[in-house]
Amino acid sequence: MKITTITFIPELLQKILSYHKENPKIIFKCALVSKSWCDTAIPFLWKKPFRFCYSTFQYKIVKVYIQFLSEEFLNEYDLNLENSRPPSYNYLSFLQELVYLTLYESLINLLKKQRSYKPLPNTEKDQDDQFCPSFHPSRPFMIKKVLPIMNELCNLFVRNGTKILFFNLSAPYVDCNCKWLPLNNYVGFSFQSLSLIQTFICDNNGYDFNEILLELSKVSKNILTMEIKKPQSYQNLSRWINLINSQKSLQRLKLENFFNQHSSLIASAIPSQYNSLKEVELVDCKFFQTNLLDELSYCPNLISLKIKDCTFIEKSVIIMKGFSSLKTFFISKSLLPQESFLSIIGQPSKLLRITLNLIDFFKYPKILPFVGLNCFQLKILDILLVEETFERIIPIMENCKSLEEVSIWEKFDWIGHEFYDHLGSYVGNYMDPNLVMIKISNRLPKNLRKFHFPQIFNFTLKEIQYFIQNAPNTLQDLKFYAIVNDKNDVIDLLKNFAGR
């Protein structure tokens, strides 16, 4: 009897697995099929091994990496690898995502498993170093064992041809005074392994990383995504500006916790990336001028701008050009001059999606009219409104004929947030929500697919019925709250809606 063997072309299998690269369970099952399948699947699993593994088991990944260290090094630092088998693959060469803090914590957990970990004392009676209630490693143990092993591992990546594409250099959050992570001994490996990184994330968290940023500016020129959090000083901010300026084509930039007096200086780095920037996100920042927004307005390919929990105090002297290429605009609980608001959504607008959360439209009365007058291509609108401002959505429904999704939220849905209510500016004679519903119903776009009303607006069944009668056939998702006497009336209403 002749047995036919079917061989999968490796390139084809690799292409198939690439569609499941974020699902380690599927890839692991494929690795068990045969030796040839395993050869193709293993690199996918070991590109981002720490992401695919629970934190309690990440020390096992470090244990595999340590097996590649020389026997002399293992003996010198008393690294016990009993019952370990020689690696079947060069796992080091597959690594593409390096989170330094995760690597460090995994090493600490491995040393704890080997019972060679030496924490700082947790009682003041037996302490040799500064007291630490969190059992952080002692300084001698850090300097003489942990950091040398970390540095040797990182250098091992270089010697094995590892091509790091994602690098996270974030420092740990320290809530004690034990100084358990010496500032001058954080990273000590060759930066040539980082010459190809495309994503760089760094939370300074009390450290400046100035020397590291300086080296990265020299060797890493192809960063596409950069996330910066908590710059510590003017000098540190200058290093970040140099790093941004040194990039060939930075596409995504996220700034978080910029709140010192020099924060606005980061705007000087934007001109070097005018033509490449596509997405910018600002989170929990305080800028004393709007010059960052002004510079971003000159980016001809910027398609997404997100501003959350930010404050811009003064309008800068720079003239804002206008965000003519912007397609997505998200802003939540932020304060900035109304002129800047209007420039972002001003004519000519290509905005397809707008999210306006926790914005006081009494303080910014021109924003919603501007949306209705300029955003004719708008398809998705997420907005927070109260009864007093509900009527201001009418011009948007009337003029933005391309709308497909509308979600109206209310401030009570946003637990834990402060809404900027200026009670003194409220008007007493606002339009009744039921009347607003009638006016909206006469202006519904023909391609509308989704409409969510907030819970605070309790409409009568009559207005809801009128809305449904006027809704286009494309409407698939409707959320409303109505005052009814008989639930069967609502059931009949929904039946009629479903049977249209």
Side-chain angles (χ1 to χ4, degrees):
M1 183 177 186
K2 186 177 179 180
I3 299 176
T4 304
T5 303
I6 300 177
T7 305
F8 235 102
I9 301 174
E11 291 79 8
L12 178 59
L13 180 58
Q14 188 176 30
K15 184 67 174 179
I16 295 173
L17 291 180
S18 67
Y19 291 105
H20 302 282
K21 60 184 179 180
E22 298 299 329
N23 192 330
K25 291 184 179 180
I26 292 179
I27 298 178
F28 181 74
K29 290 179 180 179
C30 291
L32 300 177
V33 173
S34 67
K35 178 64 168 62
S36 60
W37 279 53
C38 186
D39 293 342
T40 305
I42 285 297
F44 283 94
L45 289 173
W46 285 84
K47 285 180 181 179
K48 308 171 183 178
F50 293 101
R51 184 184 296 189
F52 295 153
C53 183
Y54 292 115
S55 58
T56 52
F57 296 106
Q58 288 175 344
Y59 74 92
K60 294 183 178 181
I61 297 173
V62 177
K63 188 174 182 179
V64 171
Y65 288 154
I66 284 179
Q67 294 178 56
F68 289 88
L69 295 172
S70 66
E71 186 173 349
E72 292 78 10
F73 187 89
L74 295 176
N75 292 333
E76 180 180 357
Y77 289 94
D78 191 26
L79 293 171
N80 182 13
L81 296 178
E82 292 181 0
N83 302 322
S84 61
R85 295 178 297 175
S88 303
Y89 296 91
N90 185 2
Y91 298 103
L92 294 163
S93 64
F94 302 143
L95 185 66
Q96 293 184 0
E97 182 174 293
L98 177 59
V99 181
Y100 190 86
L101 184 56
T102 302
L103 183 66
Y104 164 81
E105 291 175 342
S106 302
L107 174 60
I108 290 292
N109 289 333
L110 176 62
L111 296 176
K112 288 180 179 179
K113 295 288 182 181
Q114 295 183 341
R115 300 183 183 278
S116 62
Y117 180 72
K118 294 182 180 179
L120 279 171
N122 67 335
T123 63
E124 298 186 13
K125 293 181 180 179
D126 60 333
Q127 66 177 3
D128 297 322
D129 208 327
Q130 193 168 1
F131 169 72
C132 177
S134 302
F135 293 96
H136 286 146
S138 64
R139 285 180 64 87
F141 184 72
M142 276 291 300
I143 296 173
K144 295 180 180 179
K145 188 160 187 175
V146 177
L147 291 173
I149 296 174
M150 282 292 296
N151 294 339
E152 187 64 19
L153 281 173
C154 293
N155 284 313
L156 197 61
F157 295 143
V158 178
R159 294 195 294 269
N160 280 268
T162 306
K163 297 179 180 178
I164 305 297
L165 301 180
F166 178 103
F167 182 42
N168 188 326
L169 187 62
S170 297
Y173 174 73
V174 180
D175 57 355
C176 60
N177 297 318
C178 71
K179 300 184 182 302
W180 62 292
L181 190 59
L183 286 174
N184 297 327
N185 296 280
Y186 194 59
V187 177
F189 60 94
S190 172
F191 286 90
Q192 290 303 318
S193 61
L194 303 177
S195 61
L196 298 177
I197 60 172
Q198 298 177 357
T199 299
F200 180 47
I201 300 173
C202 182
D203 180 354
N204 289 264
N205 216 350
Y207 300 83
D208 55 36
F209 296 131
N210 287 338
E211 296 305 315
I212 298 172
L213 296 178
L214 180 61
E215 293 298 323
L216 285 176
S217 300
K218 298 176 182 177
V219 300
S220 303
K221 307 290 185 179
N222 301 299
I223 299 177
L224 301 178
T225 299
M226 192 179 301
E227 297 184 14
I228 311 169
K229 188 174 182 179
K230 298 191 189 86
Q232 295 302 306
S233 62
Y234 172 78
Q235 184 184 29
N236 184 224
L237 193 60
S238 299
R239 291 286 192 271
W240 279 112
I241 293 172
N242 290 336
L243 181 60
I244 294 175
N245 288 335
S246 66
Q247 302 311 307
K248 296 178 181 178
S249 182
L250 184 65
Q251 296 181 8
R252 289 171 288 277
L253 177 64
K254 180 179 179 180
L255 309 178
E256 188 171 355
N257 292 133
F258 275 59
F259 41 72
N260 62 44
Q261 60 181 342
H262 306 295
S263 296
S264 298
L265 294 177
I266 195 69
S268 63
I270 301 301
S272 66
Q273 307 299 325
Y274 270 158
N275 295 319
S276 60
L277 270 179
K278 294 182 179 180
E279 301 175 19
V280 173
E281 183 174 359
L282 310 175
V283 180
D284 196 16
C285 296
K286 181 179 181 180
F287 299 103
F288 289 86
Q289 289 186 321
T290 61
N291 55 341
L292 175 59
L293 292 176
D294 299 334
E295 293 291 357
L296 290 174
S297 71
Y298 282 83
C299 298
N301 299 306
L302 187 68
I303 61 174
S304 176
L305 177 61
K306 296 182 180 181
I307 305 174
K308 183 178 180 181
D309 298 319
C310 293
T311 300
F312 295 83
I313 297 179
E314 296 181 2
K315 183 75 177 70
S316 62
V317 295
I318 303 175
I319 299 176
M320 189 175 287
K321 182 180 179 181
F323 294 76
S324 58
S325 62
L326 204 61
K327 294 184 178 181
T328 299
F329 176 48
F330 173 100
I331 185 165
S332 176
K333 195 184 176 185
S334 296
L335 293 172
L336 61 156
Q338 185 164 248
E339 292 81 0
S340 299
F341 258 122
L342 302 184
S343 296
I344 294 173
I345 59 177
Q347 192 175 7
S349 174
K350 295 181 181 179
L351 281 167
L352 301 177
R353 178 166 191 163
I354 296 178
T355 300
L356 301 171
N357 289 334
L358 300 164
I359 302 299
D360 182 10
F361 294 114
F362 291 101
K363 184 174 182 179
Y364 303 104
K366 296 181 180 179
I367 293 177
L368 294 184
F370 240 65
V371 172
L373 291 173
N374 297 300
C375 302
F376 302 120
Q377 300 182 39
L378 188 63
K379 291 186 177 182
I380 301 176
L381 175 64
D382 294 307
I383 189 169
L384 189 151
L385 294 173
V386 292
E387 285 190 2
E388 294 89 344
T389 57
F390 185 36
E391 63 187 79
R392 301 189 185 187
I393 199 175
I394 297 175
I396 297 178
M397 301 303 302
E398 184 173 7
N399 298 321
C400 301
K401 296 300 183 181
S402 297
L403 270 173
E404 297 179 1
E405 299 181 15
V406 178
S407 297
I408 305 176
W409 305 93
E410 37 147 328
K411 62 181 178 180
F412 301 110
D413 290 335
W414 300 85
I415 298 174
H417 290 278
E418 174 189 357
F419 186 68
Y420 293 114
D421 277 343
H422 293 270
L423 297 175
S425 60
Y426 275 12
V427 292
N429 55 344
Y430 57 89
M431 188 180 298
D432 182 85
N434 284 290
L435 180 58
V436 177
M437 169 70 91
I438 297 295
K439 291 184 175 293
I440 288 177
S441 302
N442 293 325
R443 295 165 171 80
L444 296 177
K446 62 180 181 179
N447 294 320
L448 189 67
R449 294 186 293 107
K450 171 183 174 181
F451 208 118
H452 284 187
F453 290 100
Q455 183 176 356
I456 194 174
F457 302 156
N458 291 316
F459 303 105
T460 65
L461 201 60
K462 176 183 176 182
E463 279 71 34
I464 296 297
Q465 188 174 15
Y466 188 78
F467 181 91
I468 292 177
Q469 289 173 349
N470 287 273
N473 293 330
T474 55
L475 186 63
Q476 301 174 349
D477 186 353
L478 176 62
K479 177 181 177 182
F480 63 88
Y481 297 85
I483 300 176
V484 296
N485 295 321
D486 189 348
K487 67 178 182 181
N488 291 323
D489 293 337
V490 179
I491 294 174
D492 293 338
L493 183 69
L494 295 178
K495 284 182 178 179
N496 293 333
F497 172 68
R500 291 184 311 162

